[in-house]
Short mmCIF file of all heavy atoms in Angstrom, two decimals:
data_model
loop_
_atom_site.label_atom_id
_atom_site.label_comp_id
_atom_site.label_asym_id
_atom_site.label_seq_id
_atom_site.Cartn_x
_atom_site.Cartn_y
_atom_site.Cartn_z
N GLU A 1 -9.61 0.98 3.23
CA GLU A 1 -8.64 0.84 4.30
C GLU A 1 -8.91 1.89 5.37
O GLU A 1 -9.19 3.05 5.05
CB GLU A 1 -7.23 1.00 3.74
CG GLU A 1 -6.12 0.81 4.74
CD GLU A 1 -4.75 0.95 4.11
OE1 GLU A 1 -4.68 1.11 2.87
OE2 GLU A 1 -3.76 0.90 4.85
N SER A 2 -8.80 1.50 6.63
CA SER A 2 -9.04 2.43 7.73
C SER A 2 -8.32 1.95 8.98
O SER A 2 -7.80 0.83 9.02
CB SER A 2 -10.54 2.58 8.00
OG SER A 2 -11.10 1.35 8.43
N GLY A 3 -8.32 2.79 10.00
CA GLY A 3 -7.82 2.41 11.31
C GLY A 3 -6.59 3.13 11.79
O GLY A 3 -6.18 2.95 12.94
N GLY A 4 -5.99 3.95 10.95
CA GLY A 4 -4.80 4.67 11.37
C GLY A 4 -5.13 5.76 12.37
O GLY A 4 -6.28 6.08 12.63
N GLY A 5 -4.08 6.33 12.94
CA GLY A 5 -4.25 7.39 13.90
C GLY A 5 -2.98 7.66 14.67
O GLY A 5 -1.91 7.17 14.33
N LEU A 6 -3.14 8.44 15.71
CA LEU A 6 -2.04 8.82 16.60
C LEU A 6 -2.15 8.02 17.89
O LEU A 6 -3.22 7.97 18.51
CB LEU A 6 -2.09 10.31 16.90
CG LEU A 6 -1.10 10.85 17.92
CD1 LEU A 6 0.33 10.68 17.42
CD2 LEU A 6 -1.41 12.30 18.22
N VAL A 7 -1.05 7.41 18.28
CA VAL A 7 -1.03 6.61 19.49
C VAL A 7 0.32 6.79 20.18
O VAL A 7 1.33 7.04 19.53
CB VAL A 7 -1.31 5.12 19.17
CG1 VAL A 7 -0.18 4.53 18.33
CG2 VAL A 7 -1.53 4.32 20.43
N GLN A 8 0.32 6.66 21.49
CA GLN A 8 1.56 6.76 22.25
C GLN A 8 2.36 5.47 22.15
O GLN A 8 1.80 4.40 21.89
CB GLN A 8 1.26 7.07 23.71
CG GLN A 8 0.66 8.44 23.94
CD GLN A 8 0.50 8.77 25.42
OE1 GLN A 8 0.57 7.89 26.27
NE2 GLN A 8 0.29 10.03 25.71
N PRO A 9 3.66 5.54 22.35
CA PRO A 9 4.45 4.31 22.38
C PRO A 9 3.89 3.32 23.38
O PRO A 9 3.49 3.68 24.49
CB PRO A 9 5.84 4.79 22.80
CG PRO A 9 5.90 6.21 22.32
CD PRO A 9 4.49 6.75 22.50
N GLY A 10 3.85 2.07 22.96
CA GLY A 10 3.25 1.03 23.77
C GLY A 10 1.77 0.82 23.53
O GLY A 10 1.21 -0.17 24.02
N GLY A 11 1.16 1.71 22.79
CA GLY A 11 -0.26 1.61 22.51
C GLY A 11 -0.57 0.66 21.38
O GLY A 11 0.31 0.00 20.83
N SER A 12 -1.85 0.62 21.02
CA SER A 12 -2.34 -0.32 20.02
C SER A 12 -3.24 0.38 19.02
O SER A 12 -3.92 1.35 19.33
CB SER A 12 -3.12 -1.46 20.68
OG SER A 12 -2.31 -2.21 21.55
N LEU A 13 -3.24 -0.15 17.81
CA LEU A 13 -4.17 0.24 16.77
C LEU A 13 -4.56 -1.00 15.99
O LEU A 13 -3.80 -1.97 15.94
CB LEU A 13 -3.55 1.25 15.80
CG LEU A 13 -3.35 2.69 16.29
CD1 LEU A 13 -2.54 3.46 15.26
CD2 LEU A 13 -4.69 3.37 16.53
N ARG A 14 -5.72 -0.95 15.37
CA ARG A 14 -6.14 -2.02 14.49
C ARG A 14 -6.51 -1.44 13.13
O ARG A 14 -7.39 -0.59 13.02
CB ARG A 14 -7.34 -2.77 15.07
CG ARG A 14 -7.82 -3.92 14.18
CD ARG A 14 -8.97 -4.69 14.80
NE ARG A 14 -8.54 -5.45 15.97
CZ ARG A 14 -9.33 -6.26 16.67
NH1 ARG A 14 -10.60 -6.43 16.31
NH2 ARG A 14 -8.85 -6.90 17.73
N LEU A 15 -5.81 -1.90 12.12
CA LEU A 15 -6.10 -1.51 10.75
C LEU A 15 -7.03 -2.52 10.11
O LEU A 15 -6.97 -3.71 10.42
CB LEU A 15 -4.81 -1.42 9.93
CG LEU A 15 -3.69 -0.55 10.49
CD1 LEU A 15 -2.53 -0.51 9.50
CD2 LEU A 15 -4.19 0.85 10.80
N SER A 16 -7.87 -2.04 9.23
CA SER A 16 -8.77 -2.93 8.51
C SER A 16 -8.67 -2.68 7.02
O SER A 16 -8.37 -1.57 6.57
CB SER A 16 -10.22 -2.75 8.98
OG SER A 16 -10.70 -1.46 8.67
N CYS A 17 -8.93 -3.71 6.26
CA CYS A 17 -8.92 -3.63 4.81
C CYS A 17 -10.04 -4.50 4.28
O CYS A 17 -10.05 -5.71 4.51
CB CYS A 17 -7.57 -4.09 4.26
SG CYS A 17 -7.43 -3.97 2.46
N ALA A 18 -10.98 -3.88 3.59
CA ALA A 18 -12.13 -4.58 3.05
C ALA A 18 -12.08 -4.52 1.53
O ALA A 18 -12.24 -3.44 0.95
CB ALA A 18 -13.43 -3.96 3.57
N PRO A 19 -11.86 -5.63 0.89
CA PRO A 19 -11.79 -5.63 -0.57
C PRO A 19 -13.13 -5.85 -1.23
O PRO A 19 -14.05 -6.43 -0.65
CB PRO A 19 -10.87 -6.82 -0.86
CG PRO A 19 -11.22 -7.80 0.22
CD PRO A 19 -11.54 -6.97 1.43
N SER A 20 -13.23 -5.38 -2.46
CA SER A 20 -14.35 -5.75 -3.31
C SER A 20 -14.00 -7.08 -3.95
O SER A 20 -13.19 -7.16 -4.87
CB SER A 20 -14.62 -4.68 -4.36
OG SER A 20 -13.49 -4.47 -5.18
N GLY A 21 -14.60 -8.11 -3.45
CA GLY A 21 -14.26 -9.46 -3.84
C GLY A 21 -13.95 -10.28 -2.61
O GLY A 21 -13.52 -9.74 -1.58
N SER A 22 -14.15 -11.56 -2.72
CA SER A 22 -13.95 -12.44 -1.57
C SER A 22 -12.50 -12.45 -1.14
O SER A 22 -11.58 -12.50 -1.97
CB SER A 22 -14.41 -13.86 -1.92
OG SER A 22 -14.06 -14.76 -0.89
N ILE A 23 -12.28 -12.41 0.16
CA ILE A 23 -10.92 -12.51 0.68
C ILE A 23 -10.28 -13.84 0.31
O ILE A 23 -9.05 -13.93 0.27
CB ILE A 23 -10.89 -12.31 2.21
CG1 ILE A 23 -11.73 -13.37 2.93
CG2 ILE A 23 -11.34 -10.91 2.57
CD1 ILE A 23 -11.65 -13.27 4.44
N PHE A 24 -11.09 -14.83 0.01
CA PHE A 24 -10.55 -16.14 -0.35
C PHE A 24 -10.11 -16.21 -1.81
O PHE A 24 -9.51 -17.20 -2.22
CB PHE A 24 -11.57 -17.23 -0.05
CG PHE A 24 -11.89 -17.37 1.40
CD1 PHE A 24 -13.12 -16.98 1.89
CD2 PHE A 24 -10.97 -17.89 2.28
CE1 PHE A 24 -13.43 -17.10 3.23
CE2 PHE A 24 -11.26 -18.01 3.62
CZ PHE A 24 -12.49 -17.62 4.10
N SER A 25 -10.44 -15.18 -2.57
CA SER A 25 -10.06 -15.17 -3.97
C SER A 25 -8.65 -14.65 -4.19
O SER A 25 -8.16 -14.68 -5.33
CB SER A 25 -11.04 -14.33 -4.79
OG SER A 25 -10.89 -12.95 -4.52
N PHE A 26 -7.99 -14.20 -3.14
CA PHE A 26 -6.67 -13.60 -3.26
C PHE A 26 -5.60 -14.56 -2.78
O PHE A 26 -5.76 -15.23 -1.76
CB PHE A 26 -6.60 -12.29 -2.47
CG PHE A 26 -7.60 -11.28 -2.92
CD1 PHE A 26 -8.73 -11.02 -2.16
CD2 PHE A 26 -7.43 -10.60 -4.11
CE1 PHE A 26 -9.67 -10.10 -2.58
CE2 PHE A 26 -8.37 -9.67 -4.54
CZ PHE A 26 -9.48 -9.43 -3.77
N ASN A 27 -4.51 -14.58 -3.50
CA ASN A 27 -3.37 -15.37 -3.08
C ASN A 27 -2.77 -14.82 -1.79
O ASN A 27 -2.29 -15.59 -0.95
CB ASN A 27 -2.29 -15.38 -4.16
CG ASN A 27 -2.80 -15.89 -5.48
OD1 ASN A 27 -2.96 -15.13 -6.43
ND2 ASN A 27 -3.05 -17.19 -5.55
N LEU A 28 -2.82 -13.50 -1.65
CA LEU A 28 -2.20 -12.84 -0.51
C LEU A 28 -2.90 -11.53 -0.22
O LEU A 28 -3.27 -10.79 -1.13
CB LEU A 28 -0.71 -12.59 -0.79
CG LEU A 28 0.12 -11.99 0.33
CD1 LEU A 28 0.28 -13.00 1.47
CD2 LEU A 28 1.48 -11.56 -0.19
N MET A 29 -3.09 -11.25 1.05
CA MET A 29 -3.53 -9.95 1.53
C MET A 29 -2.61 -9.53 2.65
O MET A 29 -2.08 -10.37 3.37
CB MET A 29 -4.97 -9.99 2.04
CG MET A 29 -6.01 -10.32 1.01
SD MET A 29 -7.70 -10.17 1.67
CE MET A 29 -7.80 -8.40 2.00
N GLY A 30 -2.43 -8.22 2.78
CA GLY A 30 -1.59 -7.76 3.86
C GLY A 30 -1.33 -6.28 3.79
O GLY A 30 -2.09 -5.52 3.18
N TRP A 31 -0.24 -5.87 4.45
CA TRP A 31 0.13 -4.46 4.52
C TRP A 31 1.60 -4.25 4.23
O TRP A 31 2.46 -5.05 4.65
CB TRP A 31 -0.16 -3.89 5.91
CG TRP A 31 -1.55 -3.41 6.09
CD1 TRP A 31 -2.03 -2.16 5.89
CD2 TRP A 31 -2.67 -4.20 6.52
NE1 TRP A 31 -3.38 -2.11 6.16
CE2 TRP A 31 -3.79 -3.35 6.55
CE3 TRP A 31 -2.82 -5.54 6.88
CZ2 TRP A 31 -5.05 -3.79 6.93
CZ3 TRP A 31 -4.07 -5.98 7.24
CH2 TRP A 31 -5.17 -5.11 7.27
N TYR A 32 1.87 -3.19 3.51
CA TYR A 32 3.17 -2.58 3.43
C TYR A 32 3.13 -1.25 4.17
O TYR A 32 2.05 -0.70 4.41
CB TYR A 32 3.58 -2.34 1.97
CG TYR A 32 4.07 -3.56 1.23
CD1 TYR A 32 3.21 -4.59 0.89
CD2 TYR A 32 5.40 -3.66 0.86
CE1 TYR A 32 3.66 -5.70 0.20
CE2 TYR A 32 5.86 -4.77 0.16
CZ TYR A 32 4.98 -5.78 -0.16
OH TYR A 32 5.43 -6.87 -0.86
N ARG A 33 4.29 -0.75 4.51
CA ARG A 33 4.36 0.57 5.10
C ARG A 33 5.55 1.33 4.53
O ARG A 33 6.53 0.74 4.08
CB ARG A 33 4.46 0.51 6.63
CG ARG A 33 5.77 -0.06 7.15
CD ARG A 33 5.71 -0.22 8.67
NE ARG A 33 6.96 -0.73 9.22
CZ ARG A 33 7.13 -1.09 10.48
NH1 ARG A 33 6.12 -0.99 11.35
NH2 ARG A 33 8.31 -1.53 10.89
N GLN A 34 5.43 2.64 4.56
CA GLN A 34 6.49 3.49 4.07
C GLN A 34 6.61 4.71 4.97
O GLN A 34 5.66 5.47 5.13
CB GLN A 34 6.24 3.93 2.63
CG GLN A 34 7.41 4.67 2.01
CD GLN A 34 7.28 4.79 0.51
OE1 GLN A 34 6.18 4.80 -0.03
NE2 GLN A 34 8.41 4.86 -0.17
N ALA A 35 7.78 4.86 5.56
CA ALA A 35 8.09 6.02 6.37
C ALA A 35 8.81 7.04 5.52
O ALA A 35 9.44 6.69 4.50
CB ALA A 35 8.96 5.61 7.57
N PRO A 36 8.76 8.31 5.90
CA PRO A 36 9.43 9.34 5.10
C PRO A 36 10.90 9.04 4.91
O PRO A 36 11.63 8.74 5.86
CB PRO A 36 9.23 10.61 5.93
CG PRO A 36 7.98 10.36 6.71
CD PRO A 36 8.02 8.89 7.03
N GLY A 37 11.34 9.11 3.67
CA GLY A 37 12.74 8.88 3.35
C GLY A 37 13.18 7.44 3.37
O GLY A 37 14.38 7.17 3.21
N LYS A 38 12.26 6.52 3.56
CA LYS A 38 12.62 5.11 3.64
C LYS A 38 11.93 4.31 2.55
O LYS A 38 10.95 4.75 1.95
CB LYS A 38 12.24 4.54 5.01
CG LYS A 38 13.02 5.15 6.17
CD LYS A 38 12.72 4.44 7.46
CE LYS A 38 13.51 5.04 8.62
NZ LYS A 38 14.97 4.86 8.43
N GLU A 39 12.47 3.14 2.31
CA GLU A 39 11.88 2.24 1.33
C GLU A 39 10.58 1.65 1.86
O GLU A 39 10.39 1.48 3.07
CB GLU A 39 12.86 1.10 1.02
CG GLU A 39 14.14 1.54 0.35
CD GLU A 39 13.92 1.95 -1.08
OE1 GLU A 39 13.16 1.26 -1.79
OE2 GLU A 39 14.49 2.97 -1.49
N ARG A 40 9.69 1.36 0.94
CA ARG A 40 8.48 0.63 1.30
C ARG A 40 8.85 -0.78 1.73
O ARG A 40 9.68 -1.44 1.09
CB ARG A 40 7.52 0.59 0.12
CG ARG A 40 6.17 -0.03 0.44
CD ARG A 40 5.29 -0.08 -0.79
NE ARG A 40 5.81 -0.99 -1.79
CZ ARG A 40 5.24 -1.22 -2.97
NH1 ARG A 40 4.12 -0.60 -3.29
NH2 ARG A 40 5.79 -2.07 -3.82
N GLU A 41 8.25 -1.24 2.80
CA GLU A 41 8.56 -2.55 3.31
C GLU A 41 7.30 -3.33 3.62
O GLU A 41 6.29 -2.77 4.06
CB GLU A 41 9.44 -2.47 4.56
CG GLU A 41 8.78 -1.76 5.73
CD GLU A 41 9.63 -1.79 6.99
OE1 GLU A 41 10.61 -2.55 7.04
OE2 GLU A 41 9.31 -1.03 7.93
N SER A 42 7.39 -4.62 3.42
CA SER A 42 6.30 -5.50 3.77
C SER A 42 6.23 -5.65 5.29
O SER A 42 7.25 -5.80 5.96
CB SER A 42 6.49 -6.87 3.13
OG SER A 42 5.46 -7.76 3.51
N VAL A 43 5.01 -5.61 5.82
CA VAL A 43 4.79 -5.71 7.26
C VAL A 43 4.23 -7.08 7.62
O VAL A 43 4.77 -7.77 8.50
CB VAL A 43 3.84 -4.61 7.75
CG1 VAL A 43 3.57 -4.76 9.24
CG2 VAL A 43 4.43 -3.24 7.45
N ALA A 44 3.15 -7.46 6.99
CA ALA A 44 2.48 -8.71 7.30
C ALA A 44 1.63 -9.13 6.13
O ALA A 44 1.16 -8.29 5.35
CB ALA A 44 1.61 -8.58 8.56
N GLY A 45 1.43 -10.42 6.00
CA GLY A 45 0.59 -10.94 4.95
C GLY A 45 -0.09 -12.22 5.38
O GLY A 45 0.36 -12.90 6.31
N ILE A 46 -1.19 -12.53 4.70
CA ILE A 46 -1.91 -13.77 4.96
C ILE A 46 -2.39 -14.31 3.62
O ILE A 46 -2.91 -13.58 2.78
CB ILE A 46 -3.06 -13.56 5.96
CG1 ILE A 46 -3.71 -14.89 6.33
CG2 ILE A 46 -4.10 -12.57 5.42
CD1 ILE A 46 -4.62 -14.80 7.54
N THR A 47 -2.19 -15.59 3.42
CA THR A 47 -2.58 -16.22 2.16
C THR A 47 -4.06 -16.55 2.17
O THR A 47 -4.73 -16.51 3.20
CB THR A 47 -1.77 -17.50 1.91
OG1 THR A 47 -2.16 -18.50 2.86
CG2 THR A 47 -0.28 -17.24 2.04
#
């Protein structure tokens, strides 16, 4: 996993995730996020 960083409000970032194994072998791929003091939450997924 890579692509994080510091950006100003309104800016853009692109995260990447490269698995060992075909992306088509997974029922779901995506991202969760967790901010300090908050619950982990699902952000996006793709089947």
Side-chain angles (χ1 to χ4, degrees):
E1 184 179 355
S2 64
L6 174 64
V7 66
Q8 293 185 345
S12 298
L13 287 171
R14 180 178 291 184
L15 306 184
S16 65
C17 182
S20 59
S22 172
I23 60 176
F24 296 109
S25 72
F26 302 105
N27 303 108
L28 184 69
M29 296 186 65
W31 274 268
Y32 282 69
R33 68 186 181 187
Q34 188 166 27
K38 295 187 179 296
E39 296 288 318
R40 186 182 67 180
E41 63 175 347
S42 178
V43 178
I46 186 167
T47 69

